[in-house]
Amino acid sequence: MYVVTILQLLLIYALLTLSLNLVVGLAGQVNLGHAAFFGIGAYVGGTLLKAGAPFPVALAAGAVAATALGLVLGAVSLRLRGDYLAIATIGFNFAVVAAFLYTPYFGGAYGLSGIPRGLAPSTYVLALLATFGLAVFIHERVRNSESGYALVALRDSEVAAEALGLSVARFKLVAFALSTALAGVAGVFYAAYIGTLRPEDFGFPLSVTLIAMLVVGGMGGLWGPILGAFLLGGFAQAFAFVHDYQAVLYGLLLALVMRYRPQGILGRVS
């Protein structure tokens, strides 16, 4: 039972890392605030579940809310690149966490507790597996389509992509919309899984962890982000008994991977 519980959490992380790959690995847009969209989905979905809404309604609302704010961030940052885009996404992450912290509707500093799962345990697992499978399907359809090739061209050189006649603004917004929608869906599953949400759970450290999962596994492909999520997420669970030294071990693992596999474990495959 414990293994199944941990696997559910790792699947949520894999779904979240896969969503980040769409905007970072494929489109090459630096997003250091992805945890914010995860939190938006979690808080919106968790609030509706607590109010008695059916799980599908909460799931749809979390995805829509995350997508809407993702499009706002994408539209605002259309002219930003590199370090400037990274700083903008970090600022957005801090702003969202502050909104959770100081909004009584979301529980404020006390967080949101007592969130029901909304589904029977077995149904929840099946729904999570089906959603993850759908996310993999969407990811691969995008990656192997003309839009996916356009996103890769955008990643390699925005100037060259624009010179080829590609609409840089449109493809950036598409990448942000798909990425944040899946992050919102992952957030609703997380809220139903964990039952209690705190603003600090969706802060900048989580965004950095997600980037680490993506980089360690290998960006751009399918299996790299999934492997990174399971490897680093499983590492955190396996070494939970040495909590005081967990950060040290985590840092050593990252350093070793970056030293010997800078392109990621599955970088060449990806």
Side-chain angles (χ1 to χ4, degrees), residues 89-225:
T89 56
I90 292 171
F92 181 79
N93 200 162
F94 278 103
V96 169
V97 170
F100 293 152
L101 188 61
Y102 296 110
T103 303
Y105 181 74
F106 288 127
Y110 294 102
L112 194 65
S113 59
I115 301 171
R117 179 155 291 201
L119 296 171
S122 58
T123 306
Y124 173 87
V125 173
L126 290 175
L128 179 57
L129 286 171
T131 303
F132 180 72
L134 180 61
V136 169
F137 174 77
I138 292 172
H139 183 278
E140 289 304 278
R141 281 298 299 268
V142 170
R143 189 167 70 95
N144 297 307
S145 67
E146 291 185 3
S147 297
Y149 300 144
L151 290 175
V152 172
L154 177 65
R155 177 192 68 193
D156 293 341
S157 174
E158 287 190 19
V159 175
E162 200 164 14
L164 290 172
L166 297 177
S167 173
V168 172
R170 180 167 69 89
F171 283 108
K172 274 187 177 183
L173 289 177
V174 167
F176 267 101
L178 286 174
S179 176
T180 53
L182 290 178
V185 167
V188 178
F189 274 102
Y190 180 77
Y193 169 85
I194 204 73
T196 301
L197 303 175
R198 299 176 301 171
E200 58 268 25
D201 293 340
F202 307 100
F204 179 62
L206 177 58
S207 291
V208 174
T209 300
L210 295 175
I211 288 289
M213 289 177 176
L214 187 59
V215 171
V216 166
M219 293 190 293
L222 171 65
W223 297 109

